[in-house]
Amino acid sequence: MNNMYNYMNYQPQEINSYKGLVQGNLFENLYEPYKNYQPPQLIPHNKREELLLKVRQYDFAMNDLNLYLDTEPTDKEAIELFNNYRNLAFQAITNFEASYGPLTVSDNPINTNKWIWNANPWPWEVQ
């Protein structure tokens, strides 16, 4: 029961978004590694993978903070951090899409006559 009490009354201690992504938890004081498991190191092999990794890590941080804010909606520091990651995610998506096209079908500009969603290579086609 003491362990449950600690989880219910924690204060978030944010770690960087990359570490949070590979560990699966943005909050350092809630991360409990399984036995000797070491999280993988995500190493991008090209510019496209580097930009996509930024999108993934900022998106993960936003989602993890969103879960926390569902239970603590008045935590001003968490809201500020969420908004910071939201801005970073928007910038990362903008940078990726400027070079490689839309990430999702909903990012395809509707005001064009050309359907560009399927014009880009599929993930398994990228070398």
Side-chain angles (χ1 to χ4, degrees):
M1 186 66 169
N2 188 26
N3 195 23
M4 178 60 102
Y5 178 79
N6 289 338
Y7 278 105
M8 293 172 58
N9 294 300
Y10 71 91
Q11 293 296 313
Q13 295 174 354
E14 179 258 344
I15 59 178
N16 73 55
S17 58
Y18 171 80
K19 189 175 178 184
L21 174 67
V22 297
Q23 289 182 349
N25 189 334
L26 191 63
F27 303 106
E28 185 73 47
N29 57 335
L30 290 182
Y31 177 67
E32 293 185 21
Y34 179 75
K35 295 186 180 182
N36 295 341
Y37 177 74
Q38 294 296 315
Q41 295 300 308
L42 305 176
I43 302 169
H45 295 96
N46 54 45
K47 186 67 174 173
R48 184 179 191 275
E49 288 181 7
E50 181 182 327
L51 291 172
L52 196 53
L53 179 58
K54 290 289 185 194
V55 170
R56 289 180 60 205
Q57 73 187 52
Y58 297 144
D59 186 56
F60 173 81
M62 277 191 335
N63 284 315
D64 212 24
L65 283 165
N66 182 52
L67 291 172
Y68 172 75
L69 286 167
D70 283 346
T71 61
E72 302 294 331
T74 60
D75 186 332
K76 291 179 183 180
E77 290 179 29
I79 292 169
E80 184 178 317
L81 194 57
F82 175 86
N83 286 327
N84 181 49
Y85 280 125
R86 184 173 61 177
N87 291 334
L88 289 169
F90 177 77
Q91 188 60 50
I93 291 168
T94 301
N95 291 341
F96 182 90
E97 289 180 344
S99 298
Y100 301 103
L103 280 168
T104 66
V105 70
S106 62
D107 296 333
N108 190 39
I110 300 299
N111 60 354
T112 67
N113 292 332
K114 183 179 178 190
W115 184 251
I116 62 172
W117 169 251
N118 62 354
N120 294 315
W122 293 96
W124 56 86
E125 296 174 331
V126 177
Q127 296 289 334

